[in-house]
Amino acid sequence: MPYVIGGACIDVMDKSCMEECPVDCIYVGDRKLYIQPRECIDCGACEPVCPVEAIAQDRMLDAEDEPHIDDATKFFYEVLPGRDEPIGSPGGSHNVGDLKVDTPFVASLPPNG
């Protein structure tokens, strides 16, 4: 997984990163954005535009954000609350729109800010 969005995005979701992403691999949850690991081309365009510095390469995340690595995979490949099947790799966030759901991990975190 090249890039991951960490906890600083929770309850912020500025979406500047989505505008910069050339492959449309950043998806909108309820409280946080998620990068689809198989669709990301590791270009890094999203990282410098994030106003809260929530995006980093998976191997460069701060220790407190490391749980977001596995959580991003779960967002796409496990069945989320209220859904019948995993999101998978739909080929771009514009194909599915705002998903309005988070993983149980993110949903359980306290409000940010």
Side-chain angles (χ1 to χ4, degrees):
M1 180 179 308
Y3 282 83
V4 176
I5 299 176
C9 182
I10 296 172
D11 300 324
V12 176
M13 295 197 305
D14 172 77
K15 299 184 184 176
S16 297
C17 56
M18 294 179 76
E19 295 170 15
E20 294 299 318
C21 181
V23 294
D24 191 31
C25 72
I26 302 171
Y27 292 72
V28 180
D30 186 41
R31 298 178 61 203
K32 178 182 179 280
L33 303 174
Y34 300 82
I35 295 175
Q36 211 302 343
R38 292 188 182 156
E39 294 174 2
C40 180
I41 60 171
D42 202 18
C43 71
C46 58
E47 185 179 19
V49 298
C50 179
V52 294
E53 299 179 353
I55 303 172
Q57 290 180 317
D58 60 352
R59 59 193 171 276
M60 302 296 285
L61 281 175
D62 292 334
E64 68 266 10
D65 280 328
E66 286 181 2
H68 291 276
I69 297 170
D70 289 336
D71 192 61
T73 301
K74 290 176 182 177
F75 182 79
F76 294 101
Y77 296 106
E78 292 185 3
V79 178
L80 297 171
R83 296 187 58 90
D84 296 328
E85 59 187 34
I87 297 162
S89 181
S93 66
H94 285 89
N95 292 333
V96 296
D98 291 4
L99 296 163
K100 301 188 188 313
V101 65
D102 288 305
T103 60
F105 169 72
V106 169
S108 71
L109 293 172
N112 191 8

